[in-house]
Amino acid sequence: MKIVHTMPLLIRGELSDNDVSMVIRCFESLRLSEDCFVVLYNQGGLNNEQVASMLRSCGVPGVVLGAGENVGIARARQTCFEYIWEHHNEAEYISEIHVDMVFPPNWYDPLLDYLASSDEPMVSPGIVTRNGELQPIRHVTSVPDNNADLINLLKQLNRDEMVEGFVHPVIHKSSILREIGGYDTRFLQGKQGYEDDSLLLGYCYYMGTRTNWRPKCCLKSWVYHATLAQRMTLPDKHVDFALNEQGLILQYGAYGLKRLSNIHQNPSAFDTLLHKILPPSSLGVNK
């Protein structure tokens, strides 16, 4: 296998029919690719045998980790990474995929070609959202309501272009992801929030701040990603965001937040967090 995919799988009780339909749609598109082996972390709603049965019925090979508890995105992903490093060390690449995605066949090929010919540690495709937004280029299109037409649309969007930006899914060079450690759950103790920023900073320091590194999207590949289709509906999400916000600050401090503003090309993106850790005088604020 060139690539192994990872997914934290959560089925919400009150929306189980919707979520299961979304997962099946995702798996049925993933199986169209040559390398479709997926390492899942079961975060609840189904037991492990039910999840494994769903994989089999969709024709997707994989392994199910976890025990049906929502341990959070960072911990679930990190457990998947560590499983791959131990059991599939031959895989050069690891992807992070979500249940609300639809993939054209071999969607990862242009991304792997790019990573193989560059020193970049990671790369994303372009994505089409539920609202028809083309990210990161901010164009808009209409979204078909069935997989066949949607996959045809994704194929038609391909263009020979690289742009700066970050979206999910993302593909990592496994060796570099392992070197930076993946997600450090000592800091990311909430179930969601800022885990992507933590990883981007890890890559920024790996690449060296003198390179002014920013993540990139390869528009030779496009994937449908509804975005925010599940996790933002969970109760107490603000508590988890606050925990991970605190962890991000503890891990990287004020300088890290300034680097993130540069990565996202938004000078004021993290001003709110900076106000929490810098003295008022340093921000031009009178005491």
Side-chain angles (χ1 to χ4, degrees), residues 152-225:
N152 283 333
L153 169 66
L154 295 171
K155 292 176 180 178
Q156 293 167 15
L157 292 172
N158 294 349
R159 61 185 78 181
D160 190 6
E161 187 178 351
M162 297 293 304
V163 297
E164 291 185 344
F166 174 78
V167 298
H168 273 258
V170 56
I171 294 179
H172 307 275
K173 286 180 178 173
S174 178
S175 59
I176 300 179
L177 180 64
R178 189 171 190 175
E179 188 164 336
I180 68 169
Y183 295 111
D184 194 331
T185 55
R186 295 173 301 176
F187 297 100
L188 298 170
Q189 297 186 8
K191 291 182 173 63
Q192 60 180 317
Y194 297 103
E195 59 274 352
D196 292 335
D197 291 313
S198 175
L199 211 56
L200 289 174
L201 274 174
Y203 282 136
C204 176
Y205 293 135
Y206 173 86
M207 297 297 287
T209 55
R210 66 180 177 82
T211 67
N212 202 31
W213 177 82
R214 293 189 181 97
K216 297 169 182 64
C217 294
C218 174
L219 303 188
K220 286 185 178 180
S221 174
W222 288 82
V223 169
Y224 173 77
H225 184 189

Side-chain angles (χ1 to χ4, degrees), residues 16-250:
S16 59
D17 289 346
N18 175 78
D19 284 358
V20 168
S21 296
M22 189 163 55
V23 174
I24 291 173
R25 187 184 189 195
C26 174
F27 287 168
E28 287 182 343
S29 71
L30 187 62
R31 76 178 177 195
L32 301 175
S33 294
E34 212 171 300
D35 283 343
C36 58
F37 187 88
V38 60
V39 178
L40 297 174
Y41 193 101
N42 180 13
Q43 296 202 290
L46 300 175
N47 62 42
N48 284 12
E49 178 50 39
Q50 289 172 314
V51 175
S53 176
M54 190 184 305
L55 281 172
R56 289 192 298 269
S57 66
C58 292
V60 174
V63 62
V64 181
L65 308 177
E69 177 188 357
N70 184 8
V71 299
I73 294 172
R75 185 173 160 192
R77 292 278 194 200
Q78 185 67 15
T79 301
C80 293
F81 295 163
E82 291 172 0
Y83 179 90
I84 294 167
W85 292 331
E86 181 178 355
H87 298 280
H88 297 283
N89 197 42
E90 77 285 357
E92 296 181 61
Y93 305 98
I94 295 175
S95 83
E96 297 185 66
I97 64 174
H98 294 257
V99 297
D100 58 339
M101 291 180 173
V102 174
F103 305 93
N106 298 329
W107 61 277
Y108 48 77
D109 276 347
L111 308 179
L112 301 194
D113 289 344
Y114 175 73
L115 288 175
S117 62
S118 76
D119 64 351
E120 290 290 316
M122 53 155 280
V123 70
S124 302
I127 64 167
V128 179
T129 73
R130 177 174 46 193
N131 296 325
E133 299 168 0
L134 275 59
Q135 298 181 2
I137 61 174
R138 299 181 180 179
H139 294 178
V140 177
T141 188
S142 57
V143 179
D145 59 5
N146 65 83
N147 268 18
D149 290 341
L150 179 54
I151 288 171
N152 283 333
L153 169 66
L154 295 171
K155 292 176 180 178
Q156 293 167 15
L157 292 172
N158 294 349
R159 61 185 78 181
D160 190 6
E161 187 178 351
M162 297 293 304
V163 297
E164 291 185 344
F166 174 78
V167 298
H168 273 258
V170 56
I171 294 179
H172 307 275
K173 286 180 178 173
S174 178
S175 59
I176 300 179
L177 180 64
R178 189 171 190 175
E179 188 164 336
I180 68 169
Y183 295 111
D184 194 331
T185 55
R186 295 173 301 176
F187 297 100
L188 298 170
Q189 297 186 8
K191 291 182 173 63
Q192 60 180 317
Y194 297 103
E195 59 274 352
D196 292 335
D197 291 313
S198 175
L199 211 56
L200 289 174
L201 274 174
Y203 282 136
C204 176
Y205 293 135
Y206 173 86
M207 297 297 287
T209 55
R210 66 180 177 82
T211 67
N212 202 31
W213 177 82
R214 293 189 181 97
K216 297 169 182 64
C217 294
C218 174
L219 303 188
K220 286 185 178 180
S221 174
W222 288 82
V223 169
Y224 173 77
H225 184 189
T227 75
L228 304 181
Q230 274 196 312
R231 302 281 173 165
M232 295 305 288
T233 68
L234 297 180
D236 298 327
K237 59 181 178 293
H238 62 284
V239 176
D240 293 304
F241 271 88
L243 280 171
N244 282 357
E245 174 186 290
Q246 181 182 30
L248 184 71
I249 292 171
L250 286 172

